[in-house]
Amino acid sequence: LSFSDAGLCTQIDVVNESKSGATTRGALFLCVPAATYGANLKHRENAMKTRALAAEFVGTFCLVTATCGSALFAAPAGGGLVAVAFAIGLSVLIMAYAVGHVSGGHFNPAVTLGLWAGGRFNSSDIVPYIVAQLLGGIFAAFVFSLILSGALSAGPTAAAT
């Protein structure tokens, strides 16, 4: 494969040997115009970036949900810090396996900044990643505010009275 002004091109060499031993050689050139190849490549890069940002959003949402959920519900019920630690560890493990191959599995702005500082992450991707992570955490907090406001405003249940 080669990329030229004509576009993405490849050459296929054709060799035909007859029964008499005569050999015929030829070449077939296939080219995709540069404008078409460039547009498809840009579309694919944008789709991959969107998938990565969605993966960071979902991963951060799950991490914050596991952290807050275990701290609010498991620890006071007698699960203690061990239950919270397992919930956080399992959520990171599950999200790393589920969407880590799509985005790198940062799920935390500190990890994103650390990878950038170590030269393992593009500077142009820092802001979108951190925004996706913050939005995932905010959405998880919003879900917990809905859960807790419903639980607190319902009052005592019939079974408790």
Side-chain angles (χ1 to χ4, degrees):
L1 290 173
S2 64
F3 191 77
S4 66
D5 292 337
L8 180 65
C9 298
T10 187
Q11 176 182 346
I12 301 172
D13 292 322
V14 180
V15 178
N16 185 14
E17 293 184 17
S18 65
K19 291 182 183 179
S20 64
T23 303
T24 308
R25 295 184 182 266
L28 176 66
F29 291 94
L30 299 174
C31 291
V32 176
T36 304
Y37 179 76
N40 288 339
L41 184 61
K42 188 169 191 157
H43 173 68
R44 184 175 176 170
E45 287 175 357
N46 288 340
M48 290 176 66
K49 184 176 269 192
T50 302
R51 288 181 60 201
L53 295 176
E56 286 296 315
F57 176 88
V58 170
T60 306
F61 173 83
C62 290
L63 176 61
V64 172
T65 301
T67 304
C68 293
S70 62
L72 289 172
F73 301 116
L81 294 178
V82 174
V84 176
F86 272 113
I88 294 169
L90 285 174
S91 69
V92 170
L93 176 72
I94 290 168
M95 286 296 103
Y97 274 105
V99 296
H101 65 283
V102 176
S103 67
H106 304 182
F107 312 137
N108 185 337
V111 174
T112 301
L113 290 174
L115 289 170
W116 169 75
R120 296 179 179 214
F121 196 67
N122 293 334
S123 298
S124 63
D125 292 336
I126 290 175
V127 172
Y129 262 62
I130 291 177
V131 168
Q133 292 160 352
L134 291 175
L135 289 176
I138 290 168
F139 188 66
F142 174 72
V143 167
F144 270 98
S145 73
L146 290 178
I147 292 170
L148 293 175
S149 66
L152 296 176
S153 64
T157 62
T161 57

